[in-house]
Amino acid sequence: MSDIRYADNASLEAVADFIEAAIAGRENAQMAVPGGRTPGPYLAELAKRDVCWGNVQIWLTDDRCVPTDHAASNYGLLKKHLGASDVYITPLAEDLEPPHFDLVWLGMGADGHIASLFPNMDPRPDGEPQIVRNTPDPLPPEAPFDRVSLNMAALTNSDAIMLLLSGDEKRAVLDAAIAGENDLPVARLLSAATCPITIFWSSS
């Protein structure tokens, strides 16, 4: 299991500091970012900082299989949150080959899923291809779309992983995964990763 570290401070500023430190000073930084609304405040904070976005290539950890201008598109949300014209974001497609990342930023669902790798799937750490398409089961009513996702091999091909979550329910799922008490996707991530994993958790 990888080196797992709990951050002392899970404030918006502390998370943004961590992300900025992971990509600062690199000529071609590679970062994977989750979709949905959760990253919004952190990305907005980063957008206000003196980050050389022209040196950063951003990948999504996963997306809904909709056009990029669709309201449910994680790509579209990411563009909106960052608001910088020189930000280069790679739309996920099954024929792409993900790079080695400087930072992979993940959230986690209450069911232990990460990116769009769900408990009813079998996300093997050495699987191919590294970008996979799947249908969540059950389909969430707020986003009833197929998904495309980095697989476990791509998510763990990184110098660092940041896991951001909130709430006691998710903390209990994560603690059980760390203790080896479940085999959910987050537990498989912890087992497969060889880089440090920093966990930012808040109670709400």
Side-chain angles (χ1 to χ4, degrees), residues 76-167:
L77 275 174
L78 195 55
K79 276 282 193 184
K80 178 180 177 181
H81 290 322
L82 281 167
S85 59
D86 59 343
V87 175
Y88 184 73
I89 305 171
T90 301
L92 280 188
E94 293 170 84
D95 59 346
L96 295 179
E97 183 176 344
H100 177 84
F101 292 105
D102 297 286
L103 176 66
V104 169
W105 170 7
L106 290 166
M108 187 196 79
D111 61 355
H113 84 263
I114 53 169
S116 282
L117 304 180
F118 296 93
N120 61 338
M121 298 175 62
D122 185 18
R124 299 182 183 277
D126 57 350
E128 294 288 348
Q130 293 194 54
I131 299 177
V132 295
R133 182 171 177 144
N134 65 75
T135 304
D137 182 20
L139 273 173
E142 72 278 7
F145 308 105
D146 283 357
R147 308 293 178 88
V148 62
S149 177
L150 298 179
N151 79 349
M152 196 66 73
L155 292 174
T156 56
N157 183 21
S158 180
D159 289 340
I161 294 173
M162 181 182 79
L163 189 58
L164 180 64
L165 65 154
S166 62

Side-chain angles (χ1 to χ4, degrees), residues 17-18 27 31-32 37 42 65 72-74 97 140 143 163 169 177 190 198:
D17 286 346
F18 183 88
E27 292 185 2
M31 178 171 67
R37 294 184 178 89
Y42 306 96
C65 294
S73 167
N74 286 336
E97 183 176 344
L163 189 58
E169 181 183 9
L190 299 176
T198 302

